[in-house]
Amino acid sequence: MPLGLFALAVSAFAIGTTEFVIVGLIPEMARDLGVSIPSAGLLVSLYALAITIGAPVISALTGRLPRRALAIGLMIVFTIGNLMAAFAPGYGLLLAGRIVTGVAHGVFFSIGATVAMSLVDRSRAGQAVALMFAGLTVAMVVGVPFGAFVGQHYGWRAPFLAVAGLGAVSVAGLIVLLPGAIAHTPPSGLLSQLALLGKPRLLAMYLVTTFGFGGSFVVFTYLSPLMTEVTGVSETTVSLALMLFGVATVAGNLLGGRLADRIGTRAALQVVLSGLVLALLALLVTASHPVWMFANLVVWGVFAFAVSPIVQAGVVAVAEVEAPDAVGTASGFNIAAFNLGISGASFIGGLIVVRAGVPATPWAAVAATLVALAITQWGLRRGRSAPC
C-alpha cells in the first residue's frame, strides 16, 4: 500500500482521539473551568454539530480546490484548533477551539475516502479506505482511553497538546507522502445535494442513524460521572472502561457488517437495535454494580457500534438504485446524521443531568433507540424495488 495511506490513517487516529477523549475528562474539566457538567458536555455536542453543519457546507465551497492542498490545510486547521483548546484561558475559547476542530474533522473525512482511493488501483480501493478508517478504530481502542488516562494524571490540557503533536506529524506526513496531483470530480452544489433528503428510503436510513446510533450518546457522553457517582469507581478506572468499550466497538463493527451481508439491512437493524434497547435498559440495574457494569459496557458497545456499518452499507445500496450519480454524497449525509445524533443526544443528556441526574440518562437513550427501531420496522419495509 502507498505510504500516503498511512499518513491518512495517522490523521484519522488523531481526529478520532480528539472527538471522544473528553468523555473521560468531563468531571475534571468542569471543576477546573468552573462550569457545570452539562456545560462541559457541550464540548462534545457542539463539536459533533460543527461536523454536521460544517462538513457539507465547507465541502461544497471547497469542492474545486486541489485535494492534496485541502487535506494538508484541514490538518493544519485541526492542529490549531487543538492548540486553542490546550491553551484556552477559559471555557469560551475552549469551545471555539472545539468548533474549529470539528469543522476540520468533518471536511477531512468528506474528502478522505476519495483521496485514499485515488492512491491505488480500483481493485484495491476498498482496502485503501479500510486502512484509512482503521485509524478511527485504533483511536477508540487506544487513543481515547490513553488520552483520558493522560488527562487524569497530567491535567485535561495534556491530551489536546498530544493530539496537536499528532496533527503536526500528520501534516508533515501528508506533505511528504501525498502525490502532487490527486484526481477528483468536484461535488454538486449544496442545493443539489440536499435533494437527496427528499428520497423517503434514504431519509429513513438517516433517521435510523441519528436515533439508533446517536441515542447511546445520551449516556456515553456522561459515562465518567455515571461511573464515578453511581458505579463508585475512580476516575482512573473510567479509562479502563473506555478501553473495554473501545474493544467492544471493534467487535460490533465486525458483527454489523456480517449481519448486513447475511440477512440484509432491515433484518440486521431489527436484531441489533433490539439488542441495544436491552443493553441500555440493563444499565439502569448494572450501573450500581462494578462487575456487572463492566460486562454491560461490552454488550452495549457491541450493539451500539454494530449499527453504523449496517446503515452505511444500506445507504450505499439504496443510493446505487435511487441516486446512482450521488452515492458519495448520500454516504456523506449519513456521516452527518451520525454526528447530528451525537450532538442532539449529548445536549439532551445534559438537560437530563441537570433535571433528573446522571442515573436517568439511559431512559432517554432507550427512547431514542425505540424510535430508530420503529422507523426500521415501518420506514424500511420492502417494496418491489427496495434493495435492502
Side-chain angles (χ1 to χ4, degrees):
M1 286 290 184
L3 292 177
L5 287 174
F6 293 96
L8 292 172
V10 171
S11 301
F13 175 80
I15 290 171
T17 298
T18 205
E19 180 170 16
F20 295 125
V21 71
I22 281 182
V23 168
L25 302 173
I26 280 180
E28 180 184 346
M29 296 178 76
R31 288 193 300 268
D32 187 61
L33 295 168
V35 298
S36 66
I37 283 180
S39 293
L42 286 176
L43 297 169
V44 176
S45 56
L46 291 182
Y47 183 101
L49 186 61
I51 297 173
T52 305
I53 297 175
V57 173
I58 303 301
S59 294
L61 293 175
T62 58
R64 298 189 179 277
L65 293 180
R67 300 294 91 175
R68 180 180 187 274
L70 182 57
I72 292 169
L74 288 169
M75 286 311 295
I76 291 173
V77 172
F78 172 86
T79 302
I80 292 171
N82 278 284
L83 287 173
M84 287 174 62
F87 293 106
Y91 178 78
L93 190 58
L94 172 59
L95 189 58
R98 290 288 289 172
I99 291 172
V100 167
T101 307
V103 172
H105 170 156
V107 182
F108 187 88
F109 276 108
S110 293
I111 70 168
T114 56
V115 172
M117 289 189 295
S118 74
L119 300 179
V120 299
D121 56 64
R122 287 182 63 88
S123 65
R124 296 190 295 168
Q127 296 176 52
V129 174
L131 179 57
M132 174 190 162
F133 278 86
L136 278 178
T137 303
V138 176
M140 286 298 296
V141 178
V142 178
V144 171
F146 183 71
F149 178 83
V150 169
Q152 288 154 3
H153 286 79
Y154 300 102
W156 62 265
R157 297 176 188 274
F160 291 108
L161 279 174
V163 172
L166 275 173
V169 170
S170 300
V171 169
L174 294 172
I175 291 173
V176 173
L177 300 174
L178 285 185
I182 298 174
H184 81 287
T185 302
S188 57
L190 186 58
L191 292 179
S192 298
Q193 295 179 43
L194 290 175
L196 287 174
L197 299 179
K199 298 185 179 297
R201 200 164 180 83
L202 278 177
L203 181 59
M205 289 282 192
Y206 298 146
L207 290 174
V208 170
T209 295
T210 300
F211 288 99
F213 180 81
S216 285
F217 284 80
V218 176
V219 187
F220 186 67
T221 302
Y222 300 97
L223 181 63
S224 185
L226 178 68
M227 295 197 70
T228 54
E229 295 174 17
V230 180
T231 312
V233 301
S234 67
E235 290 184 359
T236 302
T237 304
V238 175
S239 300
L240 296 176
L242 288 171
M243 182 177 294
L244 191 64
F245 190 89
V247 172
T249 66
V250 176
N253 269 282
L254 295 173
L255 171 67
R258 290 184 179 228
L259 271 179
D261 288 341
R262 182 166 296 183
I263 63 176
T265 299
R266 183 169 180 260
L269 282 172
Q270 289 171 330
V271 171
V272 168
L273 290 171
S274 297
L276 182 56
V277 168
L278 295 177
L280 290 167
L281 281 172
L283 286 174
L284 296 164
V285 177
T286 62
S288 56
H289 304 281
V291 174
W292 288 109
M293 180 59 172
F294 272 79
N296 202 158
L297 280 175
V298 173
V299 178
W300 174 25
V302 168
F303 282 116
F305 279 76
V307 174
S308 53
I310 298 171
V311 184
Q312 193 72 10
V315 164
V316 170
V318 172
E320 286 176 341
V321 173
E322 299 188 4
D325 296 329
V327 175
T329 301
S331 181
F333 270 128
N334 199 45
I335 301 299
F338 282 124
N339 286 284
L340 179 62
I342 293 170
S343 176
S346 300
F347 180 74
I348 291 170
L351 296 178
I352 292 172
V353 169
V354 169
R355 297 182 181 181
V358 176
T361 53
W363 285 114
V366 168
T369 309
L370 286 173
V371 170
L373 191 56
I375 294 169
T376 300
Q377 185 67 31
W378 288 288
L380 294 180
R381 285 179 295 185
R382 286 184 182 273
R384 291 182 180 178
S385 60
C388 58

